[in-house]
Amino acid sequence: MAKDNLRGNHITTNKQICRRSFLKKVTALLGGLTFMDWGLFSIKGALASVLGTNKGNNQEKLIFIAIDALHPKYFELDARGLPGGSEGNWLMPNIHAFLKKSLWYRNAKSYLPAATDMNHLNVLAGTSSAQSGIISVWAQPTGWDENGEAIVTRTSMSFARDDKGRPVDTLFHAWKRRWPESKTMLITGKEWVGEMFRGNGSDSSGIDILVTGPNHPDYLKPPLKESLADPHTDIDAACDPESTRLGLFGGSMNPNNVMTRLYTGQGSLLTWQMEHFANHFPHDSWIVDSTLEIFKRDKPDMAYILLAQCDDAGHAIGCAWDPSEFINVNPPYKPPEGCEKKPEYQLVSSRNKLLFKEAILDVIRDIDIQFGRLIAGLQRQGVLDKANVILLSDHSAVNHLYTEDFSSTDCVGLLESAGIIEKPGLLGKKEMYAFSVSSYGVLYWRKNKEKVSEAKAFLLAHRALNPQTGSKECPWWVLDRSDMKNGLEEVCLPGELYHTYYVDADKEQTVIWPDLIILAKNGWQIPVYNGQIPNVGIKAPTWSPPWRVYNGGHGSVDTLPIVAAVSIPAGKTGLHDRPIRIADLGVTAAALSGLKLKSTTIGSDLSKDLI
Ligand SMILES: [Zn+2]
């Protein structure tokens, strides 16, 4: 109680100083000006300089709202998910209401790999994987044990290091250094992202209130089960089509496709898990209710709110931001008796005809409704009156190509068949370890590193039949360490995927670094090896055969586009077409809040655009 009172006094004092010094500076500015000067003098500039120098005492709240995997192209669609959305007819009207009050960067990108853990960290630390060392999702290989097995470690701030080997500093750390009495929070629909930020507990995370589905304060209700494609907000749930899966019947069956048949598709094990284990995959509605309750009780000043439903559904039942991808289903879908026969019920993806567009759009509509509830709730509590709010996504997502030709992207199987790596058998020591999912993979050689260049050339010469176009193509880019260092035109920036500290200074003693990185093209999916299903945070046995687990996903170049909009009190609004990166948002947030990050950042400060 005494502490609370102290904190209250502390803030009042700050506010008083703030107002006093503000008035003093304005008086000084005005006093020094003649009327003649007004013509040459920008009032906005004067205010900016006053506000800028005043940052030290001006504790505006800082709120990040991250909608995992949301593609900004959804913002162009109308209520039916078709091109040409307009005022009163948007697929995501609540997001549009927020965009109107913000500066929206339409050409924003994350960094490769375009995946979750590293990009939430990138916005909070102003980094790419080259300044954090986090390159995988959920877990990553960090070394080799005496049996030649890869040591796979949960992704964690405990081993996140910058290019100089320093622990990665986040905005949470910086915030707590500046305002030790002020509360910070992170709430996440992806529990393992929360655990990554928590670290191993030996170093402070800077996060006072860290909330995940399984680990939350008692006053919050537990998450409830809910369908992804037919959420409670879906008004035509009884009529609209459901996507399906291959299941165990139909088509050829072999050991390599059993797992795919069981796991992939709406109604499959993956969707079932996501809908059944609500604790591990809480829907956005739970994150919103919980966030509002926490704000009411604990009044945090800095918050990172991670809404995961868009990503969960993108993996399980697909994505629908590109209307040109969808074609009429054959045979046509027959809605149940008494339902309206809407033409949009007939649309399926040309990449995977099992995916109905309408099932996907219902997810996106729900995400928008929940976002609207979040903003309205925060508004009601007065939180947004004095808050810098950053809306973002960490990457986007695409539908994966459906093919029964399993060998088309089985990079490990292809290298084994060509004799470039040995087939280790069940108990044999692996000379190469593959960690892959969705549209990217990282390959580590334990020995015989001289084979890496042969492997790269072989994989680049590989051709697979694209079932969507009917032609053969190379399904991926393959980057070796020199590509990671020097960059690859149209693919990655110089150094974006190369960690100079871990590779060159530490010599991979703490964390090993990939020898090859594979980035899929055109929606191809790279199978999961060793039972790792990163984005799902669950583990199948390591002896599981490789399989393709997702209907949609991300990781490669085509999923770099992100949502990025910044709203600050009395700040500029509108559209900005300058290309920006996710690290810029973190560096900008630091500048707006007067925070200093202690590890290497690569972002640019965009605050001049805003004031
Ligand atoms: Zn993500």
Side-chain angles (χ1 to χ4, degrees):
M1 204 55 207
K3 205 172 175 190
D4 280 342
N5 281 337
L6 191 67
R7 185 172 170 264
N9 290 337
H10 178 72
I11 287 176
T12 315
T13 313
N14 263 353
K15 271 187 189 158
Q16 283 163 347
I17 292 169
C18 176
R19 200 176 305 125
R20 251 199 322 267
S21 66
F22 180 87
L23 288 173
K24 226 163 94 185
K25 279 171 189 164
V26 171
T27 316
L29 266 169
L30 294 178
L33 288 169
T34 63
F35 281 108
M36 284 293 286
D37 293 317
W38 278 107
L40 305 166
F41 191 83
S42 140
I43 297 172
K44 219 177 245 172
L47 278 175
S49 89
V50 170
L51 290 171
T53 50
N54 222 22
K55 264 173 206 156
N57 300 318
N58 189 21
Q59 190 185 331
E60 279 157 341
K61 287 182 193 291
L62 174 59
I63 300 174
F64 290 92
I65 305 173
I67 303 183
D68 209 290
L70 186 64
H71 201 301
K73 284 272 175 194
Y74 280 117
F75 301 168
E76 296 173 15
L77 306 182
D78 72 11
R80 292 190 302 158
L82 299 171
S86 58
E87 203 55 45
N89 182 22
W90 294 115
L91 176 67
M92 305 193 86
N94 291 300
I95 296 245
H96 271 278
F98 178 83
L99 292 177
K100 266 182 153 174
K101 290 188 258 171
S102 5
L103 189 62
W104 175 24
Y105 290 93
R106 277 196 299 197
N107 291 313
K109 284 181 177 177
S110 58
Y111 292 105
L112 291 168
T116 296
D117 303 21
M118 59 291 277
N119 278 304
H120 291 295
L121 176 56
N122 288 340
V123 70
L124 280 164
T127 52
S128 72
S129 291
Q131 293 81 37
S132 76
I134 305 292
I135 197 166
S136 284
V137 172
W138 176 59
Q140 81 185 54
T142 49
W144 307 96
D145 69 14
E146 61 275 18
N147 299 319
E149 286 291 335
I151 300 166
V152 178
T153 311
R154 292 285 296 269
T155 54
S156 170
M157 292 302 289
S158 312
F159 65 82
R161 292 286 178 275
D162 76 358
D163 56 342
K164 305 263 188 323
R166 299 173 293 199
V168 173
D169 198 44
T170 69
L171 292 171
F172 287 116
H173 297 120
W175 188 276
K176 289 300 281 190
R177 278 196 298 275
R178 177 125 217 197
W179 294 290
E181 306 287 331
S182 157
K183 282 187 189 161
T184 63
M185 76 172 269
L186 169 79
I187 183 166
T188 166
K190 300 193 160 199
E191 65 176 300
W192 75 91
V193 175
E195 296 311 319
M196 169 179 82
F197 281 102
R198 198 192 306 274
N200 61 7
S202 63
D203 300 311
S204 167
S205 64
I207 304 168
D208 298 314
I209 309 161
L210 202 162
V211 179
T212 66
N215 196 343
H216 57 76
D218 288 342
Y219 61 78
L220 297 177
K221 294 187 194 100
L224 297 174
K225 290 177 205 172
E226 191 176 349
S227 156
L228 282 167
D230 289 333
H232 300 322
T233 57
D234 184 5
I235 46 175
D236 60 352
C239 295
D240 60 16
E242 304 299 315
S243 295
T244 183
R245 62 190 190 280
L246 196 59
L248 292 173
F249 307 101
S252 64
M253 175 83 119
N254 62 58
N256 275 340
N257 67 22
V258 169
M259 294 295 265
T260 304
R261 281 159 178 265
L262 285 173
Y263 262 87
T264 312
Q266 194 177 339
S268 69
L269 274 179
L270 177 68
T271 322
W272 185 83
Q273 277 187 160
M274 285 180 166
E275 293 175 345
H276 194 81
F277 296 111
N279 250 4
H280 295 276
F281 304 98
H283 276 215
D284 290 359
S285 56
W286 183 80
I287 298 285
V288 170
D289 291 340
S290 304
T291 300
L292 295 177
E293 190 59 31
I294 296 166
F295 265 95
K296 209 158 81 189
R297 286 174 184 249
D298 295 312
K299 305 193 172 16
D301 294 309
M302 181 194 162
Y304 195 89
I305 303 159
L306 196 166
L307 300 152
Q309 191 174 327
C310 181
D311 189 57
D312 292 345
H315 286 304
I317 60 178
C319 316
W321 53 266
D322 180 6
S324 71
E325 180 187 320
F326 290 84
I327 54 174
N328 278 324
V329 64
N330 188 21
Y333 166 71
K334 286 199 188 73
E337 205 63 36
C339 287
E340 199 187 329
K341 291 189 174 64
K342 296 183 183 173
E344 52 266 36
Y345 286 172
Q346 302 299 330
L347 295 171
V348 289
S349 164
S350 54
R351 283 187 170 179
N352 179 350
K353 297 186 183 72
L354 299 174
L355 306 182
F356 275 93
K357 184 179 177 186
E358 199 54 23
I360 301 163
L361 289 180
D362 283 340
V363 179
I364 302 299
R365 291 183 182 113
D366 189 50
I367 287 159
D368 183 68
I369 291 168
Q370 303 309 332
F371 175 80
R373 285 183 55 233
L374 176 64
I375 294 294
L378 292 174
Q379 196 84 61
R380 264 197 306 277
Q381 292 187 32
V383 173
L384 300 182
D385 299 343
K386 207 180 168 202
N388 298 318
V389 184
I390 297 178
L391 170 67
L392 74 143
S393 55
D394 52 338
H395 50 79
S396 39
V398 295
N399 287 326
H400 284 311
L401 277 174
Y402 179 84
T403 168
E404 288 202 42
D405 174 13
F406 186 78
S407 66
S408 52
T409 55
D410 177 13
C411 52
V412 175
L414 288 163
L415 291 172
E416 283 174 356
S417 306
I420 297 170
I421 54 172
E422 289 162 21
K423 265 193 183 143
L426 266 186
L427 298 171
K429 289 184 180 182
K430 291 193 184 84
E431 61 181 287
M432 187 271 277
Y433 189 85
F435 194 106
S436 60
V437 69
S438 210
S439 60
Y440 87 104
V442 280
L443 308 186
Y444 300 78
W445 264 256
R446 181 174 59 87
K447 58 172 194 166
N448 302 336
K449 287 219 185 207
E450 72 282 358
K451 297 279 189 71
V452 171
S453 58
E454 197 185 338
K456 179 189 173 190
F458 176 82
L459 291 172
L460 284 174
H462 172 63
R463 295 291 176 268
L465 181 68
N466 181 323
Q468 192 184 22
T469 61
S471 45
K472 284 202 157 193
E473 64 188 24
C474 178
W476 43 43
W477 292 280
V478 182
L479 287 76
D480 60 18
R481 285 193 178 170
S482 126
D483 299 322
M484 297 174 211
K485 227 189 251 184
N486 303 321
L488 201 59
E489 191 83 31
E490 311 263 302
V491 177
C492 86
L493 302 168
E496 183 179 347
L497 288 165
Y498 189 84
H499 201 279
T500 48
Y501 172 75
Y502 281 141
V503 182
D504 299 324
D506 182 59
K507 305 279 180 212
E508 301 178 75
Q509 293 303 302
T510 319
V511 167
I512 53 174
W513 201 252
D515 296 291
L516 291 180
I517 296 178
I518 297 179
L519 299 167
K521 295 177 179 173
N522 303 331
W524 284 101
Q525 178 168 193
I526 298 164
V528 164
Y529 296 98
N530 311 300
Q532 309 276 9
I533 324 171
N535 274 22
V536 189
I538 50 168
K539 205 176 169 192
T542 51
W543 44 262
S544 306
W547 85 98
R548 298 193 186 102
V549 67
Y550 295 139
N551 276 329
H554 52 86
S556 190
V557 183
D558 52 356
T559 55
L560 283 171
I562 56 165
V563 172
V566 186
S567 169
I568 68 169
K572 277 191 195 157
T573 59
L575 290 172
H576 217 303
D577 280 331
R578 176 149 59 94
I580 68 154
R581 292 282 183 148
I582 196 164
D584 301 346
L585 296 176
V587 169
T588 303
L592 290 171
S593 299
L595 305 176
K596 282 208 166 52
L597 288 162
K598 291 203 295 191
S599 52
T600 305
T601 61
I602 50 161
S604 308
D605 175 7
L606 310 171
S607 53
K608 283 200 180 69
D609 296 348
L610 290 152
I611 297 168

